[in-house]
Amino acid sequence: MRTAFMETLCEAAEIDDRICLIVGDLGFSVVESFVERFPDRFLNAGVAEQSMTGIATGWALAEKKIVFTYSIANFPTMRCVEQVRNDVCAHKADVKIISLGSGITYGPSGYSHFAVEDLAVMNAMPHMIIFTPADPQEAKHCLDLAVRTPGPAYIRLAKSGEPNLRQSFVPFEIGDFVEYKSGNDLCVLGIGSILSECLSAAKMLEPSLSASVLGLPVLKPLNEKKLVEYLRPFPLLITVEEHSEHGGMAGIISELVVRNGLSPRLIKISLPEGFDRVGPQEDLRKSSGLDAKSIAEKILGSI
């Protein structure tokens, strides 16, 4: 996903000379092409994400640039929440935060590299658009939407060679959802690369249960009216996310359900509070119940 994203960023920068990139002393297996082609629009801020965010805001405001910041997982968010809030969001600066390694992608590096509270924090930030692409195609399109939409944006990327989930890509707009699979008995909602597990789980449920699988590549803002009408017929909703059980997609969907008078049962599948195990992402998903088999079993056990 990250390779496709960076390739698309270079293509966009070729067309739009407002696009700039600041990194936190990493990414040098994928950012070289940008550095070589646009040296005057690239900066390595070093291991100083707070400064990186402040510089990006100044660049965006003073020179009317569209500035992308880039770092691992929680570093461009949790390490510099104050700068994101006071600099970027308060001034509605055209700064796009790229968080590489969504959820527990960096499992072997441990909790310090996890992005498992980031959605809760970014969702609370004013004027912030949150992009959670599930595959390389969506990542490219989210970049295009971020460039076309002025103001702060958060782009949550995975990096483990994710395949495209749809043979033919259908563009979406900010607020839209994506139906990966239609069904009548229940609806599974997912964000990011965990959608591949959701799709596999839905197949395991057949033919006993017909599950719809819905992706939210733009988690904030949502086209609430459109989403509510889609969800209204389902008696059971399942949210699946590689994020803490607090403050993520499940909370957003729960509020939406209550606010609009829907009455489904809602099952939340996420990481437990304080999840800090170490290991490969695939193993951590299994141990925390986020693999396809565990998701299917939890759904069956709730019927």
Side-chain angles (χ1 to χ4, degrees):
M1 193 183 296
R2 66 172 174 177
T3 301
F5 185 90
M6 292 305 298
E7 289 174 352
T8 306
L9 183 63
C10 287
E11 293 170 4
E14 196 73 62
I15 299 169
D16 191 337
D17 62 8
R18 296 175 300 161
I19 293 175
C20 304
L21 174 64
I22 307 179
V23 302
D25 203 31
L26 49 79
F28 293 102
S29 61
V30 291
V31 303
E32 285 85 353
S33 58
F34 192 100
V35 178
E36 293 168 3
R37 293 164 67 179
F38 316 106
D40 294 337
R41 288 187 269 155
F42 173 82
L43 179 66
N44 179 5
V47 185
E49 289 82 3
Q50 294 168 328
S51 296
M52 175 178 73
T53 304
I55 293 167
T57 304
W59 210 354
L61 295 176
E63 300 190 20
K64 308 301 180 186
K65 298 294 187 181
I66 302 171
V67 187
F68 287 79
T69 62
Y70 178 96
S71 191
I72 290 177
N74 63 324
F75 298 153
T77 53
M78 306 301 289
R79 182 172 285 179
C80 46
V81 169
E82 181 180 354
Q83 285 72 27
V84 172
R85 176 182 181 267
N86 294 350
D87 296 350
V88 178
C89 294
H91 295 90
K92 301 181 184 179
D94 220 345
V95 174
K96 320 300 182 183
I97 303 165
I98 307 170
S99 178
L100 180 67
S102 57
I104 50 177
T105 300
Y106 280 97
S109 297
Y111 184 68
S112 65
H113 284 58
F114 291 176
V116 294
E117 303 92 4
D118 57 319
L119 294 177
V121 173
M122 291 297 106
N123 186 49
M125 294 294 165
H127 318 301
M128 181 69 77
I129 298 173
I130 300 177
F131 295 100
T132 54
D135 64 16
Q137 291 177 327
E138 288 190 359
K140 292 178 180 181
H141 189 61
C142 285
L143 187 153
D144 179 58
L145 290 174
V147 169
R148 291 197 278 118
T149 308
Y154 178 55
I155 306 170
R156 195 177 196 247
L157 297 179
K159 59 168 281 293
S160 302
E162 296 77 20
N164 288 322
L165 299 181
R166 292 183 286 171
Q167 290 186 342
S168 58
F169 179 72
V170 179
F172 49 84
E173 294 299 324
I174 288 177
D176 286 347
F177 55 84
V178 175
E179 184 186 67
Y180 286 95
K181 180 183 177 299
S182 61
N184 301 313
D185 296 322
L186 57 95
C187 181
V188 180
L189 299 98
I191 52 173
S193 63
I194 202 72
L195 271 162
S196 62
E197 303 284 357
C198 296
L199 284 166
S200 296
K203 291 179 181 177
M204 293 177 184
L205 296 174
E206 296 174 341
S208 301
L209 292 170
S210 171
S212 171
V213 178
L214 216 63
L216 302 175
V218 186
L219 186 60
K220 177 191 176 185
L222 293 172
N223 185 330
E224 186 161 322
K225 182 178 179 180
K226 185 177 179 180
L227 182 56
V228 166
E229 289 310 306
Y230 184 91
L231 297 178
R232 191 178 297 280
F234 293 103
L236 177 62
L237 304 180
I238 297 93
T239 60
V240 184
E241 56 190 319
E242 204 169 277
H243 187 272
S244 167
E245 61 184 335
H246 302 297
M249 178 185 60
I252 293 172
I253 296 301
S254 297
E255 289 181 11
L256 178 146
V257 164
V258 172
R259 190 163 53 241
N260 289 277
L262 303 185
S263 55
R265 277 202 304 139
L266 196 148
I267 296 173
K268 175 173 60 176
I269 301 177
S270 57
L271 294 169
E273 181 177 9
F275 182 83
D276 61 357
R277 296 175 188 170
V278 177
Q281 183 181 31
E282 182 180 357
D283 293 349
L284 295 182
R285 281 183 174 178
K286 289 179 181 178
S287 66
S288 59
L290 283 171
D291 62 303
K293 184 173 182 290
S294 298
I295 293 169
E297 289 175 349
K298 189 158 189 177
I299 292 172
L300 288 172
S302 69
I303 301 299

